[in-house]
Amino acid sequence: MLKKYAAGICVPILLICVVFLSGCHRPAPEKMVDRVTEKLKSKLELNAAQQQELEGIKEELKNKMAEMKKNHASRKEEFLALLQSDTIDQEKLKKMINEKKARMDEFSSLMIDKLTKFHSTLTTEQKERLVKYLRDRQGCWN
């Protein structure tokens, strides 16, 4: 009786955990860029020139993300092949990691450049609104 009861509770809980922990519930980065852009436009009350600047940045970032995404599947397969082998080629793995770091550094530099450029177009009041918005959203970053 106790085993039936335990199985009746454990199985649904396990299924719920699998669904919620599967990691497939996050929006695509491209959609996140669209959402953030729209939020910035409304929260900061951007003028037409600022909106145009932000749209240009958004498109450039989306293009860069698409470029990075192109080779993602082949890199993932290469990594999985390393895991399937009898021994892991450490040099190959280090090379893959260094290439990933280089891509991340390149993307980070682009982001910093675009943030700096956009920041220079904001008024003092808009900068204050931006900081307030980010502080209010701070709980979402944890």
Side-chain angles (χ1 to χ4, degrees), residues 24-25 61 63 65-66 72 80-81 93 113 124 126 128 141:
C24 295
H25 60 280
L61 291 176
N63 289 338
M65 284 186 226
H72 180 75
L80 293 175
L93 186 57
D113 180 54
T124 302
Q126 288 171 322
E128 289 172 4
W141 293 359

Side-chain angles (χ1 to χ4, degrees), residues 11-48:
V11 171
I13 290 174
L14 182 62
L15 289 174
I16 290 169
C17 288
V18 168
V19 169
F20 283 109
L21 298 175
S22 65
C24 295
H25 60 280
R26 287 184 276 168
E30 297 83 4
K31 291 185 183 211
M32 288 175 58
V33 170
D34 289 334
R35 190 172 61 208
V36 168
T37 302
E38 292 307 313
K39 284 281 188 190
L40 288 175
K41 285 180 187 178
S42 68
K43 295 285 183 185
L44 303 181
E45 299 177 12
L46 300 178
N47 63 36

Side-chain angles (χ1 to χ4, degrees), residues 29-30 33 58-72 75 107:
E30 297 83 4
V33 170
K58 177 182 88 169
E59 291 308 314
E60 190 170 347
L61 291 176
K62 285 173 79 171
N63 289 338
K64 184 65 176 173
M65 284 186 226
E67 178 187 316
M68 291 170 64
K69 199 174 188 179
K70 275 184 206 175
N71 298 322
H72 180 75
R75 288 189 302 268
F107 190 72

Side-chain angles (χ1 to χ4, degrees), residues 88-104:
I88 293 179
D89 181 347
Q90 289 187 18
E91 291 306 312
K92 190 170 187 175
L93 186 57
K94 287 177 185 178
K95 181 181 176 200
M96 290 173 67
I97 290 170
N98 288 333
E99 289 171 354
K100 170 90 173 177
K101 286 180 185 178
R103 287 189 303 276
M104 291 173 63

